[in-house]
Amino acid sequence: MKLLLLILAGLIIWWLWRNMTPRNALMRPQDAAKLLGIAPDADVDTIMQAHKRLITKVHPDAGGSAELASQINQARDAMLKSKD
């Protein structure tokens, strides 16, 4: 019985952590560059080209994942913000 309660408590804590963490926080430029497949010191044109290339593949309207499209958009924003 105690094991069942521990498992249930763990699942509740995991669910709360998963749903309470902010999803719109900007990622680090190094992580963003890795996701976009470009160098961390890439210029704005390279960032935009990499974003466009990836987002056309994974956009939800093209049968892709909304979560992945959101991550790619966040990566673009993080890279562009680092250029300011």
Side-chain angles (χ1 to χ4, degrees):
M1 184 68 174
K2 288 183 180 181
L3 181 61
L4 182 62
L5 288 175
L6 284 173
I7 292 172
L8 183 60
L11 287 173
I12 290 171
I13 291 170
W14 172 81
W15 183 85
L16 287 171
W17 174 80
R18 173 91 166 95
N19 290 309
M20 298 298 181
T21 54
R23 301 215 193 291
N24 58 356
L26 286 179
M27 62 180 73
R28 296 181 323 154
Q30 296 85 2
D31 297 333
K34 186 183 287 188
L35 180 64
L36 293 174
I38 58 177
D41 60 343
D43 63 344
V44 174
D45 290 334
T46 305
I47 295 168
M48 295 306 290
Q49 288 172 356
H51 173 265
K52 185 175 181 178
R53 176 180 41 85
L54 287 173
I55 203 70
T56 55
K57 292 179 183 178
V58 301
H59 196 276
D61 291 344
S65 165
E67 179 85 18
L68 186 55
S70 175
Q71 289 178 355
I72 291 171
N73 287 334
Q74 288 178 13
R76 178 204 55 205
D77 295 343
M79 291 291 291
L80 292 176
K81 187 173 180 103
S82 72
K83 297 298 172 196
D84 291 343

